[in-house]
Amino acid sequence: MSPIIKPWDKDPVLTVEHLTMRFGGLVAINDLSFSVGRGDITALIGPNGAGKTTVFNCITGFYKPTTGMMTLRRAGGATHLLERMPDYMVSRKAKVARTFQNIRLFSGMTLLENLLVAQHNPLMIASGMTILGVLGIGGYHAKEHEAIERARYWLEKIKLIDRADDPAGDLPYGAQRRLEIARAMCTGPELLCLDEPAAGLNPRESADLNELLLGIRQEDKTSILLIEHDMSVVMEISDHVVVLEYGTKISDGTPMETKNDPRVVAAYLGVDDEEVVAVEHQLDEQNKAQGSQQ
Amino acid sequence: MSHAQSATAKSGVDFGKAIKDGLIAAVIAFALLGPLVGLRTDQNMSHELILTNEMPLAMIYVAIIGVGRFLLSAFVYPWISRRAAARTAKVKAVPTAVQLEAGVRRSRFAARGGLLFLFLYPAIIISLVGINGSIKWVDNFGVQILIYVMLGWGLNIVIGLAGLLDLGYVAFYAVGAYSYSLLAINFHLSFWLLLPIAGILAALWGVILGFPVLRLSGDYLAIVTMAFGEIIRLVLINWRDFSGGSAGISSIPKVTMFGIYSFDVGAPNNFAKVFHLAMSSAYYKIFLYYVILMLALLTAFVTTRLRRLPIGRAWEALREDEVACRSLGINTTNTKLTAFAIGAMFGGFAGSFFAARQGFVSPESFVFMESSVIVAIVVLGGMGSQIGVALAAIVMIGGTELLRELDFLKMFFGDGFNPDQFRMLLFGVAMVGIMVWKPRGFISKRYPTAFLFKKKSISGDLVKEGEG
């Protein structure tokens, strides 16, 4: 096969190369390589326990991978090697934001406060690392006002502006998911990683979420990498799908390509051993056919 | 009949049922107590078994049980169920914005009134009991309580805001006290210069402790901080050349009124001498009262300011969810360290004030019991709430002091009764009672640090306590 350059390889915001993560004897991720195109919505899918969340934890610095390289290229041209950064620097310097599978909001703080905490680093500088802020010197107030306006923009976007002063823990589940996305976006990221954003949402909320994500890509020029089980979300909004099974990449392509990939079908629906052999045979034939075409 | 029924419905008391309950209880009690209490068997001098009739006593017991049961059924149980019903109703009813605003205004009004009272307190006491009688009330109550208010507010930053359980806070209090004592005695520096230095030294020790232990959380952090408190105390006991060992340091210089007036008896610029007043230690106590009041208010002011700055929000976010904080680019180690250092700094201020006020420090003043009292103040007050912590300090320190005044109990229990022995017991019972009644402390509400439309208080149920 001659190398066809896929659209997401032309200007990737994130390239993951040969990523391996071992926990003792367990190989959670095995030599995984993929790239996330700038401005794309990339979906990372796979059956339960395939290692999707582990990939996220490696990208966002919560785990240190055993081997591998993860390069983030910012729009300005700066590159960051994520595996060398502590978790908070991944967000601060490399501008990668994330949400969590089990929602992690600051439940005793208001929606507005949640979004202000997300703007901690710029506000910290504006408050003169707290010292000037305590003394009441400097332009902290103006900066805080800006931060509140930014929070207002996001609250309007996620349709929760009316509840700005309510505690986040009081929100219904779907609204909490939207707030978590807004909070991640308030850090001003270039890559937004969403861990199962549609889990537990009803169809209507799920449709709203699709709209929100498409809006984020269009208006805020942020690339999105998402883990998802809900195939309607994946098929509808993503440009690029990477399929994992037992920590290994089994498919990588457009949603249509992966949907029809027999290995993906097998991984999701489960097959007998004989069928695996059959599928592999089929794949070999496909490859041969492609090879003869070229 | 209908009239009686409506009366029953109105007052919620069913007397018929209550009387029946009381009678049944009395009958059962009589069946049990009649033979058990009413017939007493004894031995007489010639070792014969004799039967004494104690029926009247048994009847008194039976009457108490019967009437008691009647009162329970008629009044106590209905009252309890009414209260429970009212509480569930209150939980369901969402307070309106107007009510919430009124709540905020009321608490602000209470805070202002309290502040005014604090400033006028010495004047009120003097007008009530005279200048010499005021010493006890200003010093034992006023100054003592305010020291603990300040310590509570300082520790509130670490426990209440950042959610780090620090059981060794008294170590920073000790660092402040010894810093002032040693520097004042050896270098003859003024209190007003040494106050910030003692604070900075305590903050430095906060960072030194914080750096290795902040990767721990929860119980582990609590144990290590507790050990740190003990290490400081043991070093002070054993390093005699430095700290005077368990004999402590005495004749620590007093606080001067910014070097203009002194409170030393022999000094030419003695405050009472200059103003031709009768010699009394009351002036010094009143001056100390205002010094600690200003220090405590400084703590409150700085904490309030910090809460509205990004660092304060980061502390509270850290208490809510540390992992989420890190995902938002917050350096949690530094954030925890600043909480430790700033809390320790206020502990250091309070410590140097304590040393100057006592004129004597020894390791005895910095035992683990002190740490646990301060932690209890923070927890009892409601973690994170400054007014709650102040109330708790008043209740805890004022309460233990007030319980010294229990001599009137001798009227009931006879002269052989020593109320001082029951002071701590009563106090413990009161603490348990308060924690049952208000499990999240006096003030469990949290007020947000910023708002878009309306400031609403947040129920304590949603606010997390931190992992340690």
Side-chain angles (χ1 to χ4, degrees), chain B residues 114-183:
Chain B
L115 204 60
L116 190 67
F117 173 76
L118 283 176
F119 274 104
L120 295 179
Y121 176 76
I124 294 169
I125 292 296
I126 291 170
S127 65
L128 287 178
V129 292
I131 187 86
N132 280 320
S134 71
I135 293 177
K136 178 178 121 188
W137 292 98
V138 171
D139 192 39
N140 286 8
F141 283 84
V143 174
Q144 185 77 0
I145 290 173
L146 282 173
I147 288 179
Y148 280 92
V149 168
M150 184 169 174
L151 287 171
W153 279 344
L155 187 59
N156 186 33
I157 294 174
V158 186
I159 296 187
L161 295 183
L164 304 164
L165 185 52
D166 178 1
L167 291 182
Y169 192 61
V170 80
F172 307 121
Y173 190 40
V175 168
Y178 273 86
S179 307
Y180 171 66
S181 312
L182 292 169
L183 292 174

Side-chain angles (χ1 to χ4, degrees), chain B residues 14-30:
Chain B
D14 186 352
F15 283 108
K17 187 177 166 293
I19 290 169
K20 206 171 86 187
D21 282 351
L23 283 178
I24 292 170
V27 168
I28 294 169
F30 180 74

Side-chain angles (χ1 to χ4, degrees), chain A residues 138-200:
Chain A
Y140 174 67
H141 270 284
K143 286 281 188 236
E144 190 184 37
H145 187 72
E146 261 174 46
I148 289 175
E149 285 310 310
R150 191 189 187 121
R152 186 199 292 270
Y153 167 79
W154 279 105
L155 285 170
E156 272 163 7
K157 202 150 184 173
I158 61 172
K159 301 189 183 90
L160 287 174
I161 188 77
D162 296 335
R163 306 205 57 180
D165 299 321
D166 288 341
D170 258 359
L171 291 179
Y173 192 81
Q176 291 197 3
R177 283 236 174 262
R178 293 209 299 281
L179 179 62
E180 211 189 10
I181 294 171
R183 189 181 66 179
M185 285 308 295
C186 273
T187 61
E190 294 210 6
L191 175 65
L192 175 66
C193 299
L194 304 171
D195 199 342
E196 299 203 21

Side-chain angles (χ1 to χ4, degrees), chain A:
Chain A
M1 265 204 305
S2 76
I4 308 162
I5 294 176
K6 302 280 178 77
W8 42 84
D9 285 327
K10 280 177 195 150
D11 178 23
V13 62
L14 173 74
T15 339
V16 175
E17 288 157 284
H18 306 292
L19 180 70
T20 300
M21 180 79 208
R22 289 197 197 91
F23 297 105
L26 177 80
V27 183
I29 310 169
N30 186 14
D31 196 26
L32 173 69
S33 304
F34 67 93
S35 46
V36 176
R38 195 177 300 284
D40 279 357
I41 294 182
T42 307
L44 190 61
I45 66 170
N48 284 328
K52 306 181 294 289
T53 300
T54 310
V55 173
F56 259 43
N57 283 338
C58 288
I59 292 172
T60 51
F62 282 84
Y63 291 161
K64 288 280 154 273
T66 316
T67 59
M69 194 158 101
M70 296 171 293
T71 320
L72 190 117
R73 288 181 191 78
R74 291 190 56 182
T79 58
H80 299 278
L81 293 175
L82 301 183
E83 73 278 4
R84 296 194 185 164
M85 294 174 130
D87 45 17
Y88 65 91
M89 289 304 269
V90 170
S91 166
R92 188 187 290 186
K93 282 269 167 347
K95 293 288 171 197
V96 177
R98 73 170 290 182
T99 66
F100 296 87
Q101 197 170 353
N102 44 341
I103 303 173
R104 283 179 175 275
L105 284 171
F106 307 124
S107 61
M109 302 174 87
T110 64
L111 273 62
L112 178 67
E113 283 180 302
N114 268 276
L115 300 187
L116 289 181
V117 170
Q119 303 175 54
H120 176 81
N121 290 319
L123 283 178
M124 199 71 186
I125 292 164
S127 74
M129 301 325 262
T130 308
I131 297 161
L132 296 179
V134 169
L135 300 174
I137 314 170
Y140 174 67
H141 270 284
K143 286 281 188 236
E144 190 184 37
H145 187 72
E146 261 174 46
I148 289 175
E149 285 310 310
R150 191 189 187 121
R152 186 199 292 270
Y153 167 79
W154 279 105
L155 285 170
E156 272 163 7
K157 202 150 184 173
I158 61 172
K159 301 189 183 90
L160 287 174
I161 188 77
D162 296 335
R163 306 205 57 180
D165 299 321
D166 288 341
D170 258 359
L171 291 179
Y173 192 81
Q176 291 197 3
R177 283 236 174 262
R178 293 209 299 281
L179 179 62
E180 211 189 10
I181 294 171
R183 189 181 66 179
M185 285 308 295
C186 273
T187 61
E190 294 210 6
L191 175 65
L192 175 66
C193 299
L194 304 171
D195 199 342
E196 299 203 21
L201 300 189
N202 64 34
R204 201 195 135 91
E205 286 172 325
S206 196
D208 282 351
L209 176 80
N210 287 356
E211 200 184 313
L212 175 67
L213 295 185
L214 290 171
I216 285 174
R217 177 176 64 164
Q218 289 267 288
E219 293 157 31
D220 303 286
K221 310 280 177 260
T222 303
S223 320
I224 298 175
L225 173 63
L226 56 89
I227 291 178
E228 194 46 77
H229 276 303
D230 186 337
M231 280 303 147
S232 71
V233 174
V234 174
M235 292 303 154
E236 231 169 273
I237 65 169
S238 55
D239 307 296
H240 172 196
V241 179
V242 176
V243 191
L244 283 188
E245 191 191 19
Y246 299 121
T248 314
K249 184 168 86 173
I250 57 171
S251 183
D252 187 347
T254 63
M256 281 319 285
E257 284 167 11
T258 46
K259 194 179 180 182
N260 299 328
D261 189 329
R263 267 192 281 202
V264 178
V265 176
Y268 265 89
L269 300 179
V271 284
D272 294 334
D273 287 346
E274 292 157 29
E275 281 183 59
V276 173
V277 177
V279 165
E280 275 169 0
H281 182 69
Q282 198 184 339
L283 278 172
D284 286 344
E285 294 207 332
Q286 263 183 8
N287 285 345
K288 266 180 218 157
Q290 277 177 357
S292 64
Q293 268 173 15
Q294 286 153 12

Side-chain angles (χ1 to χ4, degrees), chain B residues 405-452:
Chain B
E405 325 263 318
L406 285 176
D407 279 346
F408 70 91
L409 284 177
K410 284 187 178 162
M411 275 163 40
F412 303 107
F413 297 101
D415 277 340
F417 179 78
N418 180 4
D420 282 352
Q421 291 177 342
F422 291 86
R423 198 164 68 98
M424 294 319 274
L425 178 71
L426 281 177
F427 187 69
V429 170
M431 286 282 293
V432 172
I434 290 169
M435 287 329 276
V436 170
W437 168 56
K438 279 205 169 281
R440 297 204 49 133
F442 288 139
I443 296 187
S444 53
K445 287 199 176 80
R446 175 181 175 272
Y447 288 97
T449 57
F451 61 96
L452 214 48

Side-chain angles (χ1 to χ4, degrees), chain B residues 443-463:
Chain B
I443 296 187
S444 53
K445 287 199 176 80
R446 175 181 175 272
Y447 288 97
T449 57
F451 61 96
L452 214 48
F453 307 112
K454 207 152 245 143
K455 195 168 195 167
K456 303 178 198 171
S457 64
I458 295 170
S459 147
D461 303 334
L462 292 169
V463 180

